[in-house]
Amino acid sequence: MTIAAFATKYVLQAIKSLGEQVLAKSEDATSDAAVGLGTRVLKLLLRRRAGGDRSDPETAALESGIERRVLSIARDPGQPNASIQLEGAIEELLRADRMLLTAVAELQRQAPPGDFELHDNIITAPVLNHSSVGGSIYSNSTVKYGDDPATLATRYFAAGEQHLAVGDCAAAVEDLRQARSYDARNPDTYYLGAIALLGQRSAFRATLPTAREVERMIQAAVALEDRAVFHYFLAYVRYDFYERNSLRPPGPWQASLQYAWSKGVTQPDIDSLFHLLAVENPFPSPR
């Protein structure tokens, strides 16, 4: 589990238990260890705001964004992609503050292991199984801690693919994150993870932290394998999010699109990409 994912998990538990009061409660105000840890993490993330320190405008803005998302989730827990957006905001702050990253990492080392429900040293995670008549049902797939990393990576990747195929993007994001934690060398875990982060909605509607995380993951996939469709996906994000929102992109979408064409991106790969994204392709056919 990434440090940002760890922080998000426990902050969400604290929000669920305490609501808007999570910003005012101390870790000693609850007997629940997970909720106490969540409030401790949140106080650490927002420590400069609590202390009135505004010496770093960028960090203060990032902390303010986390506080707004916490209040938003507390007031409307059912909003789509809320946990993904909170995690993106937390990751942005951790990237900007290395000392904070170290402090949160230390809390993670002190926390109980595991990111799923635990029963006698076994993780139970929902995995989609296909029936023989073409339907589908959810069942529990058990993954033992003793399994080797390659096996765990394969199982989580398969679960992520299946969740993404049926539109359960939140589950796919977590499955693929787990797959990367066991094998960081598979470019498809980054590629599909980036697709899942968009939540089957137009990139135009994403938040800036989400768009940045999607770009980071696509670039990680490219670093592992210079695949044409990865550049095509990058062109789409840079066009649909940055261009349409009148923001300056990390690089020109036209260059990424031209590079994808020059590398021979295929129509089946493009069709597969936009089928998983569940949006229309804004670009013409490859030349």
mmCIF file of all heavy atoms in Angstrom, residues 146-196:
data_model
loop_
_atom_site.group_PDB
_atom_site.id
_atom_site.type_symbol
_atom_site.label_atom_id
_atom_site.label_comp_id
_atom_site.label_asym_id
_atom_site.label_seq_id
_atom_site.Cartn_x
_atom_site.Cartn_y
_atom_site.Cartn_z
ATOM 1 N N GLY A 146 1.587 -15.871 2.783
ATOM 2 C CA GLY A 146 2.722 -16.691 2.417
ATOM 3 C C GLY A 146 2.940 -16.822 0.924
ATOM 4 O O GLY A 146 3.968 -17.319 0.490
ATOM 5 N N ASP A 147 1.957 -16.425 0.098
ATOM 6 C CA ASP A 147 2.112 -16.531 -1.349
ATOM 7 C C ASP A 147 3.263 -15.648 -1.820
ATOM 8 O O ASP A 147 3.516 -14.581 -1.254
ATOM 9 C CB ASP A 147 0.828 -16.114 -2.064
ATOM 10 C CG ASP A 147 -0.264 -17.169 -1.930
ATOM 11 O OD1 ASP A 147 0.082 -18.328 -1.665
ATOM 12 O OD2 ASP A 147 -1.445 -16.822 -2.087
ATOM 13 N N ASP A 148 3.956 -16.087 -2.870
ATOM 14 C CA ASP A 148 5.084 -15.316 -3.359
ATOM 15 C C ASP A 148 4.595 -14.046 -4.055
ATOM 16 O O ASP A 148 3.459 -13.987 -4.539
ATOM 17 C CB ASP A 148 5.925 -16.157 -4.315
ATOM 18 C CG ASP A 148 5.167 -16.492 -5.577
ATOM 19 O OD1 ASP A 148 4.378 -17.457 -5.566
ATOM 20 O OD2 ASP A 148 5.352 -15.778 -6.585
ATOM 21 N N PRO A 149 5.425 -12.987 -4.118
ATOM 22 C CA PRO A 149 5.001 -11.704 -4.697
ATOM 23 C C PRO A 149 4.487 -11.817 -6.130
ATOM 24 O O PRO A 149 3.538 -11.126 -6.495
ATOM 25 C CB PRO A 149 6.283 -10.863 -4.634
ATOM 26 C CG PRO A 149 7.030 -11.430 -3.476
ATOM 27 C CD PRO A 149 6.764 -12.913 -3.515
ATOM 28 N N ALA A 150 5.100 -12.670 -6.953
ATOM 29 C CA ALA A 150 4.654 -12.803 -8.340
ATOM 30 C C ALA A 150 3.222 -13.322 -8.411
ATOM 31 O O ALA A 150 2.413 -12.851 -9.223
ATOM 32 C CB ALA A 150 5.595 -13.729 -9.104
ATOM 33 N N THR A 151 2.896 -14.295 -7.556
ATOM 34 C CA THR A 151 1.536 -14.834 -7.526
ATOM 35 C C THR A 151 0.547 -13.780 -7.066
ATOM 36 O O THR A 151 -0.536 -13.622 -7.640
ATOM 37 C CB THR A 151 1.466 -16.050 -6.596
ATOM 38 O OG1 THR A 151 2.343 -17.068 -7.092
ATOM 39 C CG2 THR A 151 0.049 -16.606 -6.526
ATOM 40 N N LEU A 152 0.902 -13.038 -6.021
ATOM 41 C CA LEU A 152 0.023 -11.984 -5.518
ATOM 42 C C LEU A 152 -0.186 -10.908 -6.575
ATOM 43 O O LEU A 152 -1.312 -10.431 -6.774
ATOM 44 C CB LEU A 152 0.614 -11.382 -4.255
ATOM 45 C CG LEU A 152 0.623 -12.292 -3.022
ATOM 46 C CD1 LEU A 152 1.457 -11.666 -1.912
ATOM 47 C CD2 LEU A 152 -0.789 -12.551 -2.540
ATOM 48 N N ALA A 153 0.883 -10.521 -7.268
ATOM 49 C CA ALA A 153 0.765 -9.499 -8.309
ATOM 50 C C ALA A 153 -0.173 -9.962 -9.413
ATOM 51 O O ALA A 153 -1.018 -9.193 -9.901
ATOM 52 C CB ALA A 153 2.146 -9.184 -8.888
ATOM 53 N N THR A 154 -0.049 -11.226 -9.812
ATOM 54 C CA THR A 154 -0.906 -11.771 -10.865
ATOM 55 C C THR A 154 -2.367 -11.792 -10.438
ATOM 56 O O THR A 154 -3.266 -11.437 -11.214
ATOM 57 C CB THR A 154 -0.457 -13.198 -11.230
ATOM 58 O OG1 THR A 154 0.891 -13.147 -11.713
ATOM 59 C CG2 THR A 154 -1.356 -13.798 -12.304
ATOM 60 N N ARG A 155 -2.624 -12.187 -9.195
ATOM 61 C CA ARG A 155 -4.005 -12.263 -8.711
ATOM 62 C C ARG A 155 -4.637 -10.888 -8.611
ATOM 63 O O ARG A 155 -5.791 -10.681 -9.013
ATOM 64 C CB ARG A 155 -4.040 -12.975 -7.354
ATOM 65 C CG ARG A 155 -3.708 -14.451 -7.442
ATOM 66 C CD ARG A 155 -3.818 -15.104 -6.073
ATOM 67 N NE ARG A 155 -3.425 -16.512 -6.127
ATOM 68 C CZ ARG A 155 -3.375 -17.311 -5.066
ATOM 69 N NH1 ARG A 155 -3.685 -16.834 -3.868
ATOM 70 N NH2 ARG A 155 -3.017 -18.568 -5.192
ATOM 71 N N TYR A 156 -3.898 -9.936 -8.057
ATOM 72 C CA TYR A 156 -4.451 -8.594 -7.934
ATOM 73 C C TYR A 156 -4.647 -7.953 -9.309
ATOM 74 O O TYR A 156 -5.622 -7.229 -9.535
ATOM 75 C CB TYR A 156 -3.556 -7.718 -7.061
ATOM 76 C CG TYR A 156 -3.736 -7.953 -5.582
ATOM 77 C CD1 TYR A 156 -2.689 -8.421 -4.790
ATOM 78 C CD2 TYR A 156 -4.964 -7.700 -4.956
ATOM 79 C CE1 TYR A 156 -2.855 -8.627 -3.426
ATOM 80 C CE2 TYR A 156 -5.132 -7.910 -3.605
ATOM 81 C CZ TYR A 156 -4.087 -8.377 -2.843
ATOM 82 O OH TYR A 156 -4.253 -8.582 -1.496
ATOM 83 N N PHE A 157 -3.715 -8.208 -10.233
ATOM 84 C CA PHE A 157 -3.854 -7.652 -11.577
ATOM 85 C C PHE A 157 -5.094 -8.215 -12.259
ATOM 86 O O PHE A 157 -5.859 -7.473 -12.892
ATOM 87 C CB PHE A 157 -2.611 -7.955 -12.416
ATOM 88 C CG PHE A 157 -2.698 -7.417 -13.818
ATOM 89 C CD1 PHE A 157 -2.609 -6.056 -14.055
ATOM 90 C CD2 PHE A 157 -2.881 -8.274 -14.890
ATOM 91 C CE1 PHE A 157 -2.700 -5.553 -15.347
ATOM 92 C CE2 PHE A 157 -2.976 -7.782 -16.182
ATOM 93 C CZ PHE A 157 -2.880 -6.415 -16.414
ATOM 94 N N ALA A 158 -5.310 -9.510 -12.154
ATOM 95 C CA ALA A 158 -6.492 -10.129 -12.758
ATOM 96 C C ALA A 158 -7.776 -9.551 -12.168
ATOM 97 O O ALA A 158 -8.743 -9.267 -12.891
ATOM 98 C CB ALA A 158 -6.455 -11.643 -12.567
ATOM 99 N N ALA A 159 -7.787 -9.361 -10.842
ATOM 100 C CA ALA A 159 -8.957 -8.775 -10.192
ATOM 101 C C ALA A 159 -9.181 -7.349 -10.687
ATOM 102 O O ALA A 159 -10.319 -6.931 -10.930
ATOM 103 C CB ALA A 159 -8.784 -8.794 -8.679
ATOM 104 N N GLY A 160 -8.088 -6.590 -10.846
ATOM 105 C CA GLY A 160 -8.197 -5.217 -11.338
ATOM 106 C C GLY A 160 -8.756 -5.166 -12.750
ATOM 107 O O GLY A 160 -9.619 -4.332 -13.055
ATOM 108 N N GLU A 161 -8.277 -6.047 -13.613
ATOM 109 C CA GLU A 161 -8.798 -6.114 -14.984
ATOM 110 C C GLU A 161 -10.290 -6.391 -14.983
ATOM 111 O O GLU A 161 -11.060 -5.771 -15.734
ATOM 112 C CB GLU A 161 -8.078 -7.217 -15.763
ATOM 113 C CG GLU A 161 -6.720 -6.864 -16.299
ATOM 114 C CD GLU A 161 -6.207 -7.922 -17.238
ATOM 115 O OE1 GLU A 161 -6.167 -9.120 -16.831
ATOM 116 O OE2 GLU A 161 -5.855 -7.591 -18.379
ATOM 117 N N GLN A 162 -10.707 -7.343 -14.158
ATOM 118 C CA GLN A 162 -12.106 -7.745 -14.140
ATOM 119 C C GLN A 162 -13.000 -6.649 -13.561
ATOM 120 O O GLN A 162 -14.086 -6.383 -14.087
ATOM 121 C CB GLN A 162 -12.248 -9.046 -13.345
ATOM 122 C CG GLN A 162 -11.594 -10.238 -14.042
ATOM 123 C CD GLN A 162 -11.502 -11.463 -13.148
ATOM 124 O OE1 GLN A 162 -11.979 -11.467 -12.023
ATOM 125 N NE2 GLN A 162 -10.879 -12.511 -13.653
ATOM 126 N N HIS A 163 -12.542 -6.001 -12.499
ATOM 127 C CA HIS A 163 -13.328 -4.909 -11.940
ATOM 128 C C HIS A 163 -13.446 -3.756 -12.936
ATOM 129 O O HIS A 163 -14.507 -3.136 -13.065
ATOM 130 C CB HIS A 163 -12.703 -4.421 -10.634
ATOM 131 C CG HIS A 163 -13.017 -5.298 -9.466
ATOM 132 N ND1 HIS A 163 -12.047 -5.839 -8.652
ATOM 133 C CD2 HIS A 163 -14.202 -5.739 -8.981
ATOM 134 C CE1 HIS A 163 -12.628 -6.561 -7.710
ATOM 135 N NE2 HIS A 163 -13.915 -6.517 -7.879
ATOM 136 N N LEU A 164 -12.368 -3.455 -13.638
ATOM 137 C CA LEU A 164 -12.403 -2.383 -14.625
ATOM 138 C C LEU A 164 -13.355 -2.729 -15.760
ATOM 139 O O LEU A 164 -14.097 -1.874 -16.250
ATOM 140 C CB LEU A 164 -10.992 -2.123 -15.165
ATOM 141 C CG LEU A 164 -10.829 -0.949 -16.136
ATOM 142 C CD1 LEU A 164 -11.274 0.359 -15.486
ATOM 143 C CD2 LEU A 164 -9.373 -0.836 -16.590
ATOM 144 N N ALA A 165 -13.370 -3.994 -16.164
ATOM 145 C CA ALA A 165 -14.226 -4.422 -17.274
ATOM 146 C C ALA A 165 -15.708 -4.236 -16.973
ATOM 147 O O ALA A 165 -16.516 -4.011 -17.883
ATOM 148 C CB ALA A 165 -13.947 -5.889 -17.616
ATOM 149 N N VAL A 166 -16.089 -4.331 -15.694
ATOM 150 C CA VAL A 166 -17.498 -4.163 -15.324
ATOM 151 C C VAL A 166 -17.787 -2.782 -14.752
ATOM 152 O O VAL A 166 -18.873 -2.521 -14.241
ATOM 153 C CB VAL A 166 -17.955 -5.256 -14.328
ATOM 154 C CG1 VAL A 166 -17.841 -6.623 -14.961
ATOM 155 C CG2 VAL A 166 -17.160 -5.188 -13.031
ATOM 156 N N GLY A 167 -16.802 -1.882 -14.816
ATOM 157 C CA GLY A 167 -17.035 -0.505 -14.409
ATOM 158 C C GLY A 167 -16.870 -0.209 -12.939
ATOM 159 O O GLY A 167 -17.230 0.881 -12.491
ATOM 160 N N ASP A 168 -16.335 -1.156 -12.170
ATOM 161 C CA ASP A 168 -16.096 -0.908 -10.747
ATOM 162 C C ASP A 168 -14.701 -0.301 -10.615
ATOM 163 O O ASP A 168 -13.736 -0.966 -10.226
ATOM 164 C CB ASP A 168 -16.217 -2.203 -9.948
ATOM 165 C CG ASP A 168 -16.232 -1.969 -8.443
ATOM 166 O OD1 ASP A 168 -15.916 -0.840 -8.021
ATOM 167 O OD2 ASP A 168 -16.539 -2.913 -7.693
ATOM 168 N N CYS A 169 -14.608 0.982 -10.923
ATOM 169 C CA CYS A 169 -13.297 1.629 -11.024
ATOM 170 C C CYS A 169 -12.596 1.779 -9.685
ATOM 171 O O CYS A 169 -11.370 1.664 -9.607
ATOM 172 C CB CYS A 169 -13.452 2.988 -11.696
ATOM 173 S SG CYS A 169 -13.960 2.873 -13.434
ATOM 174 N N ALA A 170 -13.363 2.035 -8.627
ATOM 175 C CA ALA A 170 -12.733 2.190 -7.314
ATOM 176 C C ALA A 170 -12.042 0.900 -6.895
ATOM 177 O O ALA A 170 -10.918 0.915 -6.383
ATOM 178 C CB ALA A 170 -13.775 2.602 -6.279
ATOM 179 N N ALA A 171 -12.719 -0.242 -7.110
ATOM 180 C CA ALA A 171 -12.109 -1.529 -6.781
ATOM 181 C C ALA A 171 -10.903 -1.795 -7.678
ATOM 182 O O ALA A 171 -9.886 -2.320 -7.235
ATOM 183 C CB ALA A 171 -13.135 -2.653 -6.917
ATOM 184 N N ALA A 172 -11.016 -1.425 -8.963
ATOM 185 C CA ALA A 172 -9.910 -1.633 -9.897
ATOM 186 C C ALA A 172 -8.684 -0.823 -9.488
ATOM 187 O O ALA A 172 -7.554 -1.313 -9.556
ATOM 188 C CB ALA A 172 -10.337 -1.260 -11.314
ATOM 189 N N VAL A 173 -8.903 0.422 -9.060
ATOM 190 C CA VAL A 173 -7.789 1.266 -8.615
ATOM 191 C C VAL A 173 -7.032 0.590 -7.480
ATOM 192 O O VAL A 173 -5.801 0.523 -7.484
ATOM 193 C CB VAL A 173 -8.303 2.655 -8.166
ATOM 194 C CG1 VAL A 173 -7.227 3.409 -7.382
ATOM 195 C CG2 VAL A 173 -8.720 3.479 -9.366
ATOM 196 N N GLU A 174 -7.767 0.060 -6.510
ATOM 197 C CA GLU A 174 -7.117 -0.567 -5.355
ATOM 198 C C GLU A 174 -6.433 -1.882 -5.740
ATOM 199 O O GLU A 174 -5.313 -2.159 -5.318
ATOM 200 C CB GLU A 174 -8.138 -0.807 -4.248
ATOM 201 C CG GLU A 174 -7.530 -1.377 -2.981
ATOM 202 C CD GLU A 174 -6.385 -0.532 -2.448
ATOM 203 O OE1 GLU A 174 -6.483 0.708 -2.461
ATOM 204 O OE2 GLU A 174 -5.362 -1.127 -2.041
ATOM 205 N N ASP A 175 -7.108 -2.711 -6.559
ATOM 206 C CA ASP A 175 -6.499 -3.972 -6.996
ATOM 207 C C ASP A 175 -5.183 -3.722 -7.725
ATOM 208 O O ASP A 175 -4.177 -4.394 -7.470
ATOM 209 C CB ASP A 175 -7.451 -4.722 -7.938
ATOM 210 C CG ASP A 175 -8.678 -5.271 -7.242
ATOM 211 O OD1 ASP A 175 -8.584 -5.583 -6.043
ATOM 212 O OD2 ASP A 175 -9.725 -5.383 -7.898
ATOM 213 N N LEU A 176 -5.187 -2.762 -8.645
ATOM 214 C CA LEU A 176 -4.002 -2.499 -9.452
ATOM 215 C C LEU A 176 -2.900 -1.849 -8.618
ATOM 216 O O LEU A 176 -1.715 -2.073 -8.865
ATOM 217 C CB LEU A 176 -4.380 -1.633 -10.653
ATOM 218 C CG LEU A 176 -5.294 -2.365 -11.644
ATOM 219 C CD1 LEU A 176 -5.963 -1.383 -12.607
ATOM 220 C CD2 LEU A 176 -4.525 -3.428 -12.424
ATOM 221 N N ARG A 177 -3.283 -1.080 -7.608
ATOM 222 C CA ARG A 177 -2.281 -0.537 -6.690
ATOM 223 C C ARG A 177 -1.603 -1.673 -5.931
ATOM 224 O O ARG A 177 -0.378 -1.676 -5.740
ATOM 225 C CB ARG A 177 -2.935 0.439 -5.716
ATOM 226 C CG ARG A 177 -1.932 1.061 -4.736
ATOM 227 C CD ARG A 177 -2.603 1.960 -3.725
ATOM 228 N NE ARG A 177 -3.136 3.154 -4.351
ATOM 229 C CZ ARG A 177 -4.429 3.448 -4.436
ATOM 230 N NH1 ARG A 177 -5.324 2.621 -3.940
ATOM 231 N NH2 ARG A 177 -4.834 4.545 -5.008
ATOM 232 N N GLN A 178 -2.395 -2.634 -5.488
ATOM 233 C CA GLN A 178 -1.825 -3.792 -4.797
ATOM 234 C C GLN A 178 -0.913 -4.582 -5.739
ATOM 235 O O GLN A 178 0.164 -5.029 -5.338
ATOM 236 C CB GLN A 178 -2.952 -4.692 -4.274
ATOM 237 C CG GLN A 178 -3.732 -4.113 -3.119
ATOM 238 C CD GLN A 178 -2.929 -4.090 -1.827
ATOM 239 O OE1 GLN A 178 -1.947 -4.803 -1.690
ATOM 240 N NE2 GLN A 178 -3.345 -3.264 -0.885
ATOM 241 N N ALA A 179 -1.335 -4.755 -6.989
ATOM 242 C CA ALA A 179 -0.501 -5.480 -7.958
ATOM 243 C C ALA A 179 0.840 -4.788 -8.124
ATOM 244 O O ALA A 179 1.895 -5.441 -8.171
ATOM 245 C CB ALA A 179 -1.228 -5.577 -9.302
ATOM 246 N N ARG A 180 0.841 -3.455 -8.191
ATOM 247 C CA ARG A 180 2.100 -2.706 -8.337
ATOM 248 C C ARG A 180 2.977 -2.849 -7.106
ATOM 249 O O ARG A 180 4.204 -2.822 -7.205
ATOM 250 C CB ARG A 180 1.808 -1.226 -8.608
ATOM 251 C CG ARG A 180 1.232 -0.942 -9.970
ATOM 252 C CD ARG A 180 1.252 0.545 -10.289
ATOM 253 N NE ARG A 180 0.472 1.340 -9.356
ATOM 254 C CZ ARG A 180 -0.833 1.567 -9.459
ATOM 255 N NH1 ARG A 180 -1.529 1.025 -10.460
ATOM 256 N NH2 ARG A 180 -1.464 2.325 -8.581
ATOM 257 N N SER A 181 2.359 -2.981 -5.941
ATOM 258 C CA SER A 181 3.155 -3.101 -4.717
ATOM 259 C C SER A 181 3.935 -4.409 -4.688
ATOM 260 O O SER A 181 4.963 -4.508 -4.018
ATOM 261 C CB SER A 181 2.255 -2.992 -3.485
ATOM 262 O OG SER A 181 1.477 -4.159 -3.297
ATOM 263 N N TYR A 182 3.446 -5.424 -5.409
ATOM 264 C CA TYR A 182 4.141 -6.714 -5.464
ATOM 265 C C TYR A 182 5.014 -6.856 -6.706
ATOM 266 O O TYR A 182 5.953 -7.654 -6.709
ATOM 267 C CB TYR A 182 3.130 -7.858 -5.404
ATOM 268 C CG TYR A 182 2.477 -8.004 -4.053
ATOM 269 C CD1 TYR A 182 1.156 -7.624 -3.852
ATOM 270 C CD2 TYR A 182 3.191 -8.488 -2.959
ATOM 271 C CE1 TYR A 182 0.557 -7.740 -2.602
ATOM 272 C CE2 TYR A 182 2.604 -8.599 -1.713
ATOM 273 C CZ TYR A 182 1.286 -8.229 -1.543
ATOM 274 O OH TYR A 182 0.705 -8.328 -0.304
ATOM 275 N N ASP A 183 4.692 -6.099 -7.758
ATOM 276 C CA ASP A 183 5.510 -6.132 -8.977
ATOM 277 C C ASP A 183 5.381 -4.782 -9.657
ATOM 278 O O ASP A 183 4.376 -4.497 -10.319
ATOM 279 C CB ASP A 183 5.049 -7.247 -9.916
ATOM 280 C CG ASP A 183 5.892 -7.312 -11.187
ATOM 281 O OD1 ASP A 183 6.897 -6.569 -11.287
ATOM 282 O OD2 ASP A 183 5.542 -8.095 -12.094
ATOM 283 N N ALA A 184 6.397 -3.941 -9.499
ATOM 284 C CA ALA A 184 6.357 -2.582 -10.045
ATOM 285 C C ALA A 184 6.829 -2.531 -11.486
ATOM 286 O O ALA A 184 6.958 -1.449 -12.059
ATOM 287 C CB ALA A 184 7.211 -1.655 -9.190
ATOM 288 N N ARG A 185 7.076 -3.699 -12.108
ATOM 289 C CA ARG A 185 7.664 -3.722 -13.457
ATOM 290 C C ARG A 185 6.651 -4.010 -14.556
ATOM 291 O O ARG A 185 7.028 -4.083 -15.724
ATOM 292 C CB ARG A 185 8.784 -4.759 -13.509
ATOM 293 C CG ARG A 185 9.938 -4.493 -12.537
ATOM 294 C CD ARG A 185 10.818 -5.705 -12.388
ATOM 295 N NE ARG A 185 10.049 -6.833 -11.826
ATOM 296 C CZ ARG A 185 10.512 -8.059 -11.679
ATOM 297 N NH1 ARG A 185 11.748 -8.330 -12.067
ATOM 298 N NH2 ARG A 185 9.758 -9.010 -11.158
ATOM 299 N N ASN A 186 5.384 -4.181 -14.218
ATOM 300 C CA ASN A 186 4.365 -4.468 -15.226
ATOM 301 C C ASN A 186 3.733 -3.165 -15.689
ATOM 302 O O ASN A 186 2.985 -2.529 -14.940
ATOM 303 C CB ASN A 186 3.300 -5.386 -14.631
ATOM 304 C CG ASN A 186 2.205 -5.731 -15.631
ATOM 305 O OD1 ASN A 186 2.191 -5.241 -16.758
ATOM 306 N ND2 ASN A 186 1.269 -6.574 -15.213
ATOM 307 N N PRO A 187 3.975 -2.719 -16.932
ATOM 308 C CA PRO A 187 3.442 -1.421 -17.374
ATOM 309 C C PRO A 187 1.914 -1.373 -17.407
ATOM 310 O O PRO A 187 1.325 -0.308 -17.242
ATOM 311 C CB PRO A 187 4.032 -1.262 -18.790
ATOM 312 C CG PRO A 187 4.354 -2.648 -19.236
ATOM 313 C CD PRO A 187 4.756 -3.386 -17.997
ATOM 314 N N ASP A 188 1.279 -2.522 -17.586
ATOM 315 C CA ASP A 188 -0.180 -2.529 -17.673
ATOM 316 C C ASP A 188 -0.851 -2.196 -16.346
ATOM 317 O O ASP A 188 -1.995 -1.732 -16.326
ATOM 318 C CB ASP A 188 -0.674 -3.879 -18.196
ATOM 319 C CG ASP A 188 -0.392 -4.050 -19.673
ATOM 320 O OD1 ASP A 188 -0.815 -3.173 -20.454
ATOM 321 O OD2 ASP A 188 0.259 -5.039 -20.045
ATOM 322 N N THR A 189 -0.173 -2.426 -15.224
ATOM 323 C CA THR A 189 -0.777 -2.048 -13.944
ATOM 324 C C THR A 189 -0.868 -0.532 -13.826
ATOM 325 O O THR A 189 -1.794 -0.009 -13.192
ATOM 326 C CB THR A 189 0.020 -2.619 -12.756
ATOM 327 O OG1 THR A 189 1.354 -2.111 -12.780
ATOM 328 C CG2 THR A 189 0.044 -4.139 -12.787
ATOM 329 N N TYR A 190 0.078 0.182 -14.432
ATOM 330 C CA TYR A 190 0.034 1.645 -14.425
ATOM 331 C C TYR A 190 -0.979 2.147 -15.459
ATOM 332 O O TYR A 190 -1.765 3.061 -15.180
ATOM 333 C CB TYR A 190 1.419 2.217 -14.736
ATOM 334 C CG TYR A 190 2.457 1.855 -13.712
ATOM 335 C CD1 TYR A 190 3.244 0.715 -13.855
ATOM 336 C CD2 TYR A 190 2.663 2.653 -12.586
ATOM 337 C CE1 TYR A 190 4.193 0.379 -12.909
ATOM 338 C CE2 TYR A 190 3.618 2.329 -11.636
ATOM 339 C CZ TYR A 190 4.377 1.182 -11.807
ATOM 340 O OH TYR A 190 5.321 0.853 -10.862
ATOM 341 N N TYR A 191 -0.950 1.556 -16.643
ATOM 342 C CA TYR A 191 -1.856 1.950 -17.729
ATOM 343 C C TYR A 191 -3.315 1.759 -17.323
ATOM 344 O O TYR A 191 -4.122 2.695 -17.394
ATOM 345 C CB TYR A 191 -1.509 1.113 -18.962
ATOM 346 C CG TYR A 191 -2.449 1.261 -20.135
ATOM 347 C CD1 TYR A 191 -2.616 2.484 -20.786
ATOM 348 C CD2 TYR A 191 -3.147 0.156 -20.625
ATOM 349 C CE1 TYR A 191 -3.458 2.604 -21.870
ATOM 350 C CE2 TYR A 191 -3.984 0.263 -21.717
ATOM 351 C CZ TYR A 191 -4.144 1.491 -22.340
ATOM 352 O OH TYR A 191 -4.978 1.604 -23.418
ATOM 353 N N LEU A 192 -3.665 0.565 -16.876
ATOM 354 C CA LEU A 192 -5.042 0.304 -16.470
ATOM 355 C C LEU A 192 -5.400 1.078 -15.203
ATOM 356 O O LEU A 192 -6.546 1.511 -15.031
ATOM 357 C CB LEU A 192 -5.254 -1.196 -16.255
ATOM 358 C CG LEU A 192 -5.118 -2.080 -17.497
ATOM 359 C CD1 LEU A 192 -5.381 -3.540 -17.150
ATOM 360 C CD2 LEU A 192 -6.059 -1.626 -18.611
ATOM 361 N N GLY A 193 -4.422 1.256 -14.318
ATOM 362 C CA GLY A 193 -4.670 2.053 -13.122
ATOM 363 C C GLY A 193 -5.021 3.492 -13.464
ATOM 364 O O GLY A 193 -5.895 4.098 -12.838
ATOM 365 N N ALA A 194 -4.344 4.043 -14.459
ATOM 366 C CA ALA A 194 -4.641 5.412 -14.904
ATOM 367 C C ALA A 194 -6.044 5.494 -15.501
ATOM 368 O O ALA A 194 -6.779 6.455 -15.258
ATOM 369 C CB ALA A 194 -3.603 5.861 -15.929
ATOM 370 N N ILE A 195 -6.416 4.485 -16.263
ATOM 371 C CA ILE A 195 -7.766 4.440 -16.828
ATOM 372 C C ILE A 195 -8.805 4.398 -15.710
ATOM 373 O O ILE A 195 -9.799 5.134 -15.720
ATOM 374 C CB ILE A 195 -7.927 3.218 -17.755
ATOM 375 C CG1 ILE A 195 -7.066 3.397 -19.017
ATOM 376 C CG2 ILE A 195 -9.396 3.000 -18.134
ATOM 377 C CD1 ILE A 195 -7.023 2.168 -19.908
ATOM 378 N N ALA A 196 -8.564 3.544 -14.720
ATOM 379 C CA ALA A 196 -9.512 3.394 -13.609
ATOM 380 C C ALA A 196 -9.650 4.683 -12.810
ATOM 381 O O ALA A 196 -10.743 5.002 -12.328
ATOM 382 C CB ALA A 196 -9.077 2.244 -12.708
#
